[in-house]
Each structure stands twice: as structure tokens, then as C-alpha cells.
Amino acid sequence: MRDAINDPSISPAERLAALQDYLQGSPAFPPFVTESNNHVHTIYSFSPYTPAAAALRAREAGLMVVGSVDHDSAAGAGEMAEAARLLGMGAVTGFECRVYVHTADEVASGAAPLHDRKLNNPDTEGIAYMTVQGIPAHKRDLVAAYLLPIREARLRRTGEMVERANVILTGLGAEPIDLERDIVERSQFAFGGTVTERHLLAAMAEKLIGRFGRGQGLVDGLAELGLNLSEKVRAQLADVENPHLVFDLLGVMKAEFLGEIYVVPSRTEDGGECPSMAEVIDFAKGIGAIPCYAYLGDVTASPTGDKKAEKFEDDFLEELFGELRRLGMPAITYMPPRNTAEQMARIAALAAEYGLLEVSGVDINTPRQVFNCEELQRPELSHLNVATWAMVAHEQLADVDPSLGLFAVDGPLISLPLVDRVARYGALGQALVDGELTLDQAVVALKEDT
């Protein structure tokens, strides 16, 4: 039963039924803590977890809210939301995507101050990650249609990278990757999911393991690629019993080797996969969702082990916030375990100055990661918990009526300062999940709070 919850080969309905059966046994869960995670990846991009299994793992960690943001896909949103409901948790669903910060016309005209800056994307200047969160359920089909050509373009680019990877693999005497068999068939692409660079690196890792074997032979073989291995990673890769070997090797290759095979994604108007930031913001607002810039900040140590120490946005943060305001970005999301107290305090101050909602989350895509975010128990970050509950309410209320969304221009509380509006929505989100209010009652309460 437990295995079925995390079985990618069966349908979402079957996984949810398995979760219901599992809960009939009254499993012991820890008390809820004042933590959430709004940045969980599932099998619909790259992750060891189905949406139902991710929600269960989050509940076992004591989280109050779980949120999914698969790359270029919201195909797991329905399963995630229903699994969270069964577990007595809140849910915030959405997707993550890469965008060009400026349009081609802005670059050509010289009105693109950030086009040659490295933002939150280690691979390419001028391209940024952003999320679209709190998607109303009745807009999921529109999201799928919007993301389909992006997913298809990303698959084509992956095919180009497979060709580059195979040159290296065959040079090492390893079996080459078959795009369809080794990547597409192992993904959820046929069911609305996305093929990512991690799928490619996982396939490459498996070919290297097949070539060099497990244990010290693998470590020695990787020396031929010139990978920079820490003592901790060397020990992990040399462990013949390591159950997470593919994920561990994938993380190292992403940090140290991806650049050798990486193909820069092109713009959607050129048949590529990256729209402009303005386009995604407009799309998100048009469906009643919340677009967020994903702040990374200068990295000293990566909690997921897949990013090198490197400088990102911190040297031009005020300029970045100015551009986000010009583009109409209403929110910024970041990962408390990844950032220092000083970085987060600076983000909080700028978010308040520029009127942006602060959203938190921890990038979950490997089996070694924990779902907890203990930083959210710190008093100075309590506003992030309130914001999470506000997004829980937003997603449900905007599904009833777009004008009830947190940022709806004709919303009943739109005249209130953002901090007050978030507090009101946050209280409604908790009341909805705790069962203190029905959705109809929450609608009435929101309108009466005008």
C-alpha cells in the first residue's frame, strides 16, 4: 500500500486511493509545526516522489502546508491538492519555469539592463527562474495548454544535449543514451510532465555506473571526467551499498559538469522554450495565479549539492527589484536554508519597499533532502508562514471567483496595504484547512471584511 502511493507507473487516482487506504490504518503522525514547503518537485519534473508521496512525506515531517512547483508543468497539481486535503494539510500548487528577463526588442533597443547579468540561473546570463503559484483548479487545463509547446521545445533541446553527452560516454567506453528509452519513457512526459536536465544527467550517471561499476572503481573512473569531488561525495560514491547513488552522482555532475553538454534554451518566438518574464507574469495574472521571482543570492554552500559557490544577484539587488516592479511582478520566493540571515533581512526590506509578497520554499528533488524548514520557526520569519496560509486561501478563493484572489485588481480587500491583506487571507487559509470555515463561509467572510 505504501509503495503504491509512490508508484509512478499507476494513475493519480490509484495513488490517492492507496493513500486513503493507508490512512485508514491510522498511522502515527507528529504534531504539526509552524513550517511549510512551497517548492517541492515531483515525478512530473524530476523527483523521487509522486505528488501523493511528497504530500505524505511533508505530513510525516509535521509540515502544515505543502506546495508543488514542477518545471514547466502543473500536471501534478490536482493530485498534490487532494493528497494534502486527505492529510489535513494546506496546499499551494503551481509550476516553475525559465524566462528571459527582457524581450528581444528590449535587448535590441538597449533597454535591457539585466540581459548580460547572471541572475538566479547558473547556466545562462539574462535568463531567470520564476514560479507561478496558487493556480485556481479550474485554470489547470489552460496552464497545461500554455506549457505544452514549452515542454516540447525543452524535449527537443534535451535531444541536442544527449548527442553531446553521448560523445563523452562513448569516448569513455560507456553505453550511449537512448533519448526515448532512457529518458522519455522514464519521465511523465506522456502525462503532462517535463523532461529536464536532471533526467539527462540521471541517464548519464547510470551509464557511467554501468561502465565503471559501483564503489571505488566509479570514483576512479570519474577522475577521467575531471569532476571535483569533496571527501563527503567521494565517500558516498565509493559506497557500494549506497541506495541514492544515481542522485548523488547526478548532483555532482550538475554542479561540475553540466556546462560541458549544456545547450542554451532559446526564446519561444524562435521556437524555443523560454518566454519573456513579462509574458509569464501576464499569463499568471490572467489565470488568477501569483507569479514570483525566485531569488537565489550569492551561494557559498548549496544544500542540495548541485550548485557551486558563485555570485548571483546580490551586487545589483536594488536594480533587480526596480525591474521586477516595472514588469509587474507581485512576489518574490526564496529558500531560507540556502540564504543567510543578512540576505533574508535585505530581501524583506526590499520586498516591503517595493510592495512584493515574500514566499518561502525549499527545493526538494532528491531522496536525501528533508522536507522541514526549521528556519520558519524563527520569529523574524513568521511572516513567511502567514504568507503561505494566504496563498492557501488565495488558491481556493480564486477558484470560486477570480475577483477573490489575493492580488485581484477588483478584490474586496485590494485597498488594504499588502501586509494587512496577507494577514486577512492567512487567517482564512488556516480556518479553511482546520475546518473552522467552509469555502462558502470563507467567501462570505472575505466579502464582509471589506
Side-chain angles (χ1 to χ4, degrees), residues 20 42 54 60 83 114 121 211 219 239 292 320 332 337 376 390 443:
Q20 284 183 300
T42 78
E60 290 171 339
L114 302 180
N121 176 22
R211 167 66 177 85
V219 175
D239 179 5
C292 311
L320 171 61
I332 186 164
L376 292 182
V443 171

Side-chain angles (χ1 to χ4, degrees), residues 372-395:
N372 292 91
C373 182
E374 294 182 355
E375 288 80 1
L376 292 182
Q377 297 191 37
R378 287 159 38 183
E380 67 271 23
L381 297 182
S382 62
H383 64 289
L384 295 176
N385 295 316
V386 178
T388 290
W389 282 119
M391 290 197 299
V392 169
H394 162 87
E395 185 164 326

Side-chain angles (χ1 to χ4, degrees), residues 186-203:
R186 295 185 179 187
S187 75
Q188 294 292 306
F189 185 82
F191 305 102
T194 302
V195 167
T196 71
E197 285 90 354
R198 290 179 185 272
H199 287 95
L200 168 56
L201 292 172

Side-chain angles (χ1 to χ4, degrees), residues 91-390:
V92 179
T93 64
F95 64 87
E96 184 173 14
C97 63
R98 275 181 292 212
V99 297
Y100 276 92
V101 178
H102 301 291
T103 66
D105 288 344
E106 287 174 329
V107 174
S109 68
L114 302 180
H115 83 280
D116 59 353
R117 307 278 187 91
K118 183 171 284 189
L119 293 112
N120 57 14
N121 176 22
D123 306 309
T124 313
E125 296 172 345
I127 293 181
Y129 282 100
M130 62 177 289
T131 62
V132 173
Q133 296 178 253
I135 298 173
H138 73 281
K139 297 294 187 180
R140 289 172 187 157
D141 287 345
L142 282 177
V143 172
Y146 177 75
L147 294 175
L148 175 59
I150 293 174
R151 293 171 45 238
E152 291 175 337
R154 188 163 188 166
L155 178 58
R156 291 193 296 272
R157 185 173 62 87
T158 301
E160 296 178 41
M161 292 190 288
V162 165
E163 293 179 6
R164 296 186 179 189
N166 282 342
V167 171
I168 296 167
L169 288 171
T170 55
L172 294 170
E175 179 187 358
I177 296 168
D178 182 282
L179 175 64
E180 188 66 28
R181 182 187 67 242
D182 296 325
I183 296 179
V184 178
E185 289 182 3
R186 295 185 179 187
S187 75
Q188 294 292 306
F189 185 82
F191 305 102
T194 302
V195 167
T196 71
E197 285 90 354
R198 290 179 185 272
H199 287 95
L200 168 56
L201 292 172
M204 194 172 186
E206 289 177 342
K207 301 302 182 183
L208 291 172
I209 294 168
R211 167 66 177 85
F212 298 115
R214 287 175 169 261
Q216 189 59 42
L218 176 61
V219 175
D220 294 341
L222 294 176
E224 297 183 39
L225 288 174
L227 295 184
N228 181 25
L229 304 180
S230 67
E231 288 303 315
K232 176 182 176 181
V233 171
R234 283 178 181 273
Q236 290 175 341
L237 299 184
D239 179 5
V240 295
E241 302 297 330
N242 181 356
H244 310 308
L245 183 59
V246 170
F247 284 90
D248 292 337
L249 180 52
L250 182 161
V252 174
M253 294 174 67
K254 185 175 186 295
E256 303 290 340
F257 187 70
L258 180 60
E260 299 293 322
I261 61 175
Y262 190 73
V263 173
V264 176
S266 58
R267 297 177 182 272
T268 51
E269 60 259 43
D270 298 323
E273 70 202 61
C274 286
S276 70
M277 182 176 285
E279 178 189 322
V280 177
I281 290 172
D282 289 346
F283 173 76
K285 290 180 175 180
I287 62 168
I290 301 173
C292 311
Y293 175 83
Y295 167 76
L296 178 59
D298 297 350
V299 172
T300 55
S302 171
T304 55
D306 63 355
K307 288 183 177 62
K308 297 181 289 187
E310 198 170 355
K311 291 185 70 64
F312 291 96
E313 311 106 318
D314 286 348
D315 285 347
F316 54 92
L317 204 52
E318 289 82 358
E319 186 177 4
L320 171 61
F321 268 78
E323 280 298 292
L324 295 179
R325 180 166 62 183
R326 182 185 70 83
L327 292 167
M329 185 75 77
I332 186 164
T333 180
Y334 55 95
M335 303 182 188
R338 177 172 279 162
N339 299 125
T340 66
E342 292 75 18
Q343 284 176 316
M344 289 187 285
R346 190 179 178 202
I347 288 294
L350 286 168
E353 179 182 349
Y354 285 85
L356 270 63
L357 174 72
E358 292 177 73
V359 177
S360 64
V362 181
D363 196 350
I364 299 290
N365 51 36
T366 74
R368 289 190 183 275
Q369 292 176 270
V370 297
F371 279 66
N372 292 91
C373 182
E374 294 182 355
E375 288 80 1
L376 292 182
Q377 297 191 37
R378 287 159 38 183
E380 67 271 23
L381 297 182
S382 62
H383 64 289
L384 295 176
N385 295 316
V386 178
T388 290
W389 282 119

Side-chain angles (χ1 to χ4, degrees), residues 373-436:
C373 182
E374 294 182 355
E375 288 80 1
L376 292 182
Q377 297 191 37
R378 287 159 38 183
E380 67 271 23
L381 297 182
S382 62
H383 64 289
L384 295 176
N385 295 316
V386 178
T388 290
W389 282 119
M391 290 197 299
V392 169
H394 162 87
E395 185 164 326
Q396 296 189 41
L397 290 165
D399 191 41
V400 174
D401 182 343
S403 71
L404 300 179
L406 182 62
F407 289 97
V409 294
D410 53 349
L413 305 183
I414 196 63
S415 63
L416 293 180
L418 179 60
V419 65
D420 295 332
R421 200 161 71 245
V422 170
R424 308 285 179 87
Y425 274 80
L428 288 175
Q430 285 188 286
L432 282 166
V433 173
D434 291 344
E436 296 174 3

